[in-house]
C-alpha cells in the first residue's frame, strides 16, 4: 500500500509556492475511495465525509477551495501513498480524442508547475514519469463510470502542451460512445 507510486521530485513540490491542491478536484473511482478510506482509518487521520460528488466524485474542499487532504502547514498531502491517480500523474494530464481514437498526454507549462519545467529539461526523468503517469491514468479511466469520464474530459486544461499519444483501448472508447 505504501509502495512508491510517486517520488517527491527533488523537493520541487514541497518548495513550490503554487497550490495545485486548490480547486484540483481529482476524480475518485470507487476502488480509490475504498483505498483512501482504509488508509485514513489505519493512519487514524480524522477527516469526516472526505468526498463529495457533482458529475463525478472528488475530495471535499474547504471554503478556500483547498482539497480536504491538503495539509497547509507542511504543504503536503495527508494521503500521499494512496492519493488519486491524477495527483500521482501530475504535471502530466490527459485527453481522449474520439476522432483519432487516441489517448493524448500533455505536460503543464512550467509557469503553472515548476516540476513540469524540471521534467521538460530532463528527458530521461520525464520518460520515467510519463510511463508511470500512463499506468495511473489508464487505471483511472478504466475505473470511472462513463458519466464521470465524460464530465472529466470536458474540463479544459489550457496551459499544457502535448507530449505523446497512444491508441485507446476499445473498452474505454466504448464508455465514451455509450449514451
Ligand atoms: S489528494 Fe493530495 S495531492 Fe491530490 S489534490 Fe488532494 S491534497 Fe493535493
Amino acid at each position: 500500500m505504501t509502495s512508491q507510486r510517486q517520488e517527491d521530485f527533488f523537493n520541487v513540490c514541497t518548495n513550490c509556492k503554487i497550490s495545485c491542491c486548490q480547486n484540483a478536484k481529482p476524480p475518485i473511482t470507487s476502488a480509490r475511495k475504498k483505498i483512501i478510506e482504509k488508509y485514513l482509518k489505519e493512519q487514524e487521520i480524522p477527516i469526516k465525509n472526505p468526498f463529495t460528488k457533482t458529475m463525478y466524485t472528488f475530495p471535499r474542499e474547504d471554503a478556500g477551495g483547498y482539497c480536504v487532504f491538503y495539509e497547509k502547514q507542511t504543504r503536503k498531502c495527508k494521503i500521499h501513498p494512496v492519493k488519486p491517480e491524477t495527483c500521482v500523474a501530475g504535471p502530466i494530464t490527459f485527453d481522449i480524442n474520439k476522432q483519432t481514437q487516441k489517448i493524448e498526454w500533455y505536460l503543464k507549462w512550467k509557469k503553472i508547475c515548476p516540476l513540469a519545467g524540471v521534467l521538460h529539461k530532463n528527458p530521461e526523468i520525464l520518460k520515467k514519469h510519463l510511463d508511470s503517469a500512463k499506468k495511473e491514468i489508464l487505471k483511472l479511466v478504466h475505473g470511472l463510470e462513463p458519466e464521470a469520464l465524460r464530465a472529466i474530459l470536458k474540463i479544459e486544461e489550457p496551459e499544457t502542451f502535448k507530449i505523446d499519444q497512444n491508441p485507446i483501448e476499445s473498452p474505454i472508447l466504448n464508455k465514451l460512445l455509450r449514451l
Side-chain angles (χ1 to χ4, degrees):
M1 185 64 59
T2 52
S3 63
Q4 288 243 325
R5 291 168 75 221
Q6 180 193 45
E7 290 168 28
D8 187 358
F9 296 94
F10 324 120
N11 288 325
V12 179
C13 295
T14 37
N15 292 318
C16 177
K17 300 289 175 245
I18 300 165
S19 279
C20 59
C21 300
Q22 190 178 23
N23 304 316
K25 299 181 175 56
I28 305 281
T29 62
S30 52
R32 179 61 47 197
K33 191 172 173 210
K34 279 185 201 145
I35 291 170
I36 294 173
E37 283 169 343
K38 184 166 179 271
Y39 183 81
L40 291 174
K41 201 169 170 192
E42 283 170 0
Q43 302 296 314
E44 299 181 358
I45 302 172
I47 300 177
K48 274 192 184 166
N49 305 320
F51 304 105
T52 188
K53 187 176 179 188
T54 51
M55 291 296 282
Y56 66 93
T57 301
F58 56 90
R60 186 162 56 76
E61 293 178 338
D62 71 9
Y66 283 92
C67 174
V68 73
F69 300 126
Y70 182 65
E71 192 168 70
K72 287 183 184 160
Q73 294 82 353
T74 60
R75 305 177 61 82
K76 286 185 177 169
C77 176
K78 289 179 186 171
I79 57 159
H80 178 74
V82 295
K83 64 189 179 181
E85 290 79 2
T86 53
C87 302
V88 181
I92 290 169
T93 66
F94 76 102
D95 196 7
I96 294 176
N97 187 325
K98 283 190 272 181
Q99 269 75 44
T100 61
Q101 305 196 351
K102 299 262 167 66
I103 183 162
E104 300 174 340
W105 307 101
Y106 292 80
L107 183 63
K108 290 184 181 176
W109 291 358
K110 71 175 178 188
K111 75 168 190 179
I112 61 163
C113 176
L115 177 59
V118 172
L119 291 174
H120 196 225
K121 270 201 240 157
N122 294 274
E124 277 183 30
I125 301 172
L126 174 60
K127 188 188 171 310
K128 190 171 162 220
H129 184 56
L130 179 59
D131 288 345
S132 134
K134 285 180 180 181
K135 283 186 198 130
E136 294 287 335
I137 297 296
L138 288 174
K139 197 165 33 176
L140 171 74
V141 294
H142 274 289
L144 284 171
E145 294 299 322
E147 184 193 56
L149 181 57
R150 284 196 290 264
I152 288 154
L153 291 174
K154 283 186 190 151
I155 301 169
E156 296 288 331
E157 294 197 89
E159 295 177 305
T160 60
F161 61 98
K162 193 169 149 187
I163 53 170
D164 200 6
Q165 61 179 14
N166 297 107
I168 192 72
E169 298 161 36
S170 46
I172 299 171
L173 196 61
N174 291 343
K175 269 195 210 191
L176 292 174
L177 299 175
R178 213 179 296 162
L179 293 174

